[in-house]
Amino acid sequence: EAYKLLTTVEMTHSSRNTLYTREGAPRSVYDQSTAPAPFELVHTHPIIQLDADGHVEKVVQSETKRGVCALPYDVYEPFMEAYELWTQLCEDERFIKHFDWPEGTCVVTNNYRTLHGRASVPPGMNRTMAFGYLNKILVENRYRLLRQIQTERAEPSMDHRWLTRVPNQVLEKLTSSVVE
């Protein structure tokens, strides 16, 4: 029953920030030289979103962005019980993986499929994090370009005439024997 509630009851998540200018350009909240423009990101969906086949497609868990005011009255109590169980499981040590992040390293993750948090840092230590979000199509096309460049370097006769305007499956076959 808890799983059903978490996959069917819609929850609104929202946040308001001033990370953009009125023109839509990114800005630092510490930048006093550009005028901030409020930006609100709002989305409503179940905590656990399933695809058409019932498989987990996306998980959204954010205590700072969660709102409960739009929950239907008749499901409020059972949903909040299910949600409390969910948050306990999210914080359960059995499901947490701690790892070192040495300076200069990078972590790439699918934000739709991986729950993540940030551990506290020791006193006196600064934490600097830079974030970037990419659409799947951008990542796939960048990977495609890198494979093409890698292949051209390894085998100059396999130039752009052979490696462009071909489906990804064909490109993968053309490049796999040269690159690997």
Side-chain angles (χ1 to χ4, degrees):
E1 181 65 23
Y3 181 77
K4 182 179 180 191
L5 289 167
L6 293 170
T7 59
T8 59
V9 175
E10 295 198 340
M11 171 72 64
T12 296
H13 292 79
S14 69
S15 65
R16 179 175 280 230
N17 62 55
T18 56
L19 299 175
Y20 301 93
T21 65
R22 291 207 180 280
E23 296 75 31
R27 70 173 287 277
S28 167
V29 293
Y30 304 110
D31 180 1
Q32 300 301 318
S33 67
T34 58
F39 173 78
E40 186 170 24
L41 176 64
V42 178
H43 44 101
T44 301
H45 45 74
I47 300 295
I48 304 170
Q49 288 181 295
L50 304 178
D51 65 16
D53 296 322
H55 299 112
V56 174
E57 181 175 60
K58 179 179 176 182
V59 176
V60 177
Q61 169 65 27
S62 178
E63 282 297 298
T64 60
K65 298 176 184 174
R66 175 181 59 84
V68 295
C69 61
L71 287 176
Y73 180 79
D74 60 325
V75 298
Y76 180 84
E77 290 293 334
F79 178 84
M80 292 309 293
E81 288 175 17
Y83 187 75
E84 183 175 342
L85 174 61
W86 169 255
T87 58
Q88 289 171 2
L89 290 171
C90 288
E91 299 290 331
D92 190 310
E93 285 295 324
R94 295 175 297 167
F95 308 115
I96 295 175
K97 170 69 176 147
H98 297 279
F99 59 94
D100 290 328
W101 241 6
E103 186 173 333
T105 59
C106 174
V107 172
V108 177
T109 184
N110 181 334
N111 212 28
Y112 281 7
R113 299 294 302 245
T114 307
L115 289 176
H116 59 280
R118 294 156 190 90
S120 59
V121 296
M125 178 183 278
N126 291 327
R127 177 191 320 205
T128 303
M129 297 191 321
F131 297 90
Y133 293 93
L134 296 173
N135 292 335
K136 182 180 178 185
I137 192 75
L138 293 176
V139 172
E140 288 174 344
N141 282 300
R142 181 64 178 169
Y143 174 75
R144 179 185 169 95
L145 177 62
L146 293 173
R147 289 292 289 199
Q148 289 168 333
I149 292 169
Q150 197 175 27
T151 301
E152 287 181 36
R153 286 183 181 159
E155 183 56 59
S157 65
M158 293 284 291
D159 62 16
H160 69 278
R161 293 172 293 177
W162 292 98
L163 301 174
T164 57
R165 297 187 176 191
V166 295
N168 286 340
Q169 305 89 311
V170 174
L171 180 67
E172 188 63 31
K173 288 181 180 175
L174 286 171
T175 61
S176 62
S177 62
V178 175
V179 176
E180 293 170 5

